[in-house]
Amino acid sequence: MTSTFAVTWDYRCPFARNAHEHLLTGLAAGADWQVRYLPFSLGQAHVEEGQPSVWEKPEQDSGILALQVGVVVRDEFPERFPAVHRALFAARHDAGLHLEDRALLERVLTDHDLPADAVFARIDDGAALQEVRAEHERFVASHNVWGVPTFIADDQAVFVRLMNRAPLGSDPAPSIRAVERVVDLLTGWTDLNEFKHTSIPR
């Protein structure tokens, strides 16, 4: 039976990277999931009261440009989204590069045979930012989302930190197990509100 759920992301978060690597790895191996990828701006979530929003001053936020790139690729080039999504996380967390660097983002797009000019046309005309804002605000309002990665199914939402990664080429079995455990807890055991280890094994 197909599992249908959504997961938020911001490319700056290492735990979002972990969760989305598991999603991408599982889906590539044929996992029976219908996943909706939801942009969430960590910058907007941390705007102090009285300060301009990320929507008003996107140039002041280091992650919003990459988030817009991801949304345009998701919506207009969906067959390329998994590879670009993984590459943008890798640019930040594996290579330590700056996601506000337009030239870097254009290079990632070009490396994946995407028209960078067409993607950035949707950003430059404001359409991509409008979509990021609409989705961010919709799920803040409907599910009280405050971070990434948040898994959402029906009226349930849970913030999750998966500790292990699933780089390209990983065995998909652990990824499928991890995601399906999360979704099962999310939808099948709603009594569980918080379960957090007091320390991280090294």
Side-chain angles (χ1 to χ4, degrees):
M1 185 175 178
T2 302
S3 294
T4 301
F5 56 95
V7 187
T8 62
W9 95 89
D10 183 305
Y11 290 112
R12 292 171 292 186
C13 176
F15 293 107
R17 183 269 313 271
N18 291 359
H20 283 262
E21 283 186 345
H22 286 299
L23 291 169
L24 296 170
T25 298
L27 286 166
D32 193 10
W33 308 329
Q34 186 68 42
V35 181
R36 181 178 179 186
Y37 298 92
L38 296 176
F40 181 87
S41 171
L42 289 175
Q44 178 60 25
H46 292 95
V47 169
E48 295 182 7
E49 188 175 350
Q51 297 302 308
S53 70
V54 167
W55 324 126
E56 297 169 289
K57 296 285 187 179
E59 67 279 1
Q60 295 183 8
D61 184 72
S62 65
I64 195 67
L65 189 60
L67 202 55
Q68 292 175 82
V69 168
V71 166
V72 174
V73 175
R74 180 200 67 182
D75 293 349
E76 300 191 12
F77 305 94
E79 73 286 353
R80 300 284 187 184
F81 178 74
V84 171
H85 198 48
R86 190 182 284 272
L88 289 171
F89 276 117
R92 174 65 185 90
H93 299 285
D94 296 336
L97 301 176
H98 293 278
L99 295 176
E100 67 271 30
D101 182 349
R102 182 168 175 145
L104 163 68
L105 301 176
E106 290 175 342
R107 188 163 63 250
V108 169
L109 292 168
T110 301
D111 287 347
H112 291 85
D113 298 318
L114 284 169
D117 54 347
V119 172
F120 273 94
R122 302 296 291 160
I123 294 171
D124 293 338
D125 70 10
L129 184 63
Q130 184 177 1
E131 183 61 27
V132 171
R133 178 179 185 174
E135 295 191 34
H136 175 107
E137 292 183 341
R138 183 182 311 140
F139 286 90
V140 168
S142 65
H143 288 78
N144 296 311
V145 174
W146 49 262
V148 299
T150 298
F151 284 68
I152 302 168
D154 299 323
D155 61 345
Q156 301 295 319
V158 62
F159 172 77
V160 178
R161 284 183 172 177
L162 296 173
M163 301 306 294
N164 295 318
R165 297 185 57 190
L168 194 64
S170 295
D171 176 3
S175 293
I176 293 171
R177 283 197 303 271
V179 171
E180 290 187 345
R181 282 181 173 179
V182 169
V183 175
D184 183 56
L185 287 171
L186 172 64
T187 60
W189 193 20
T190 57
D191 285 345
L192 180 64
N193 178 259
E194 188 166 346
F195 181 95
K196 186 173 183 179
H197 288 277
T198 58
S199 61
I200 300 173
R202 297 294 183 186

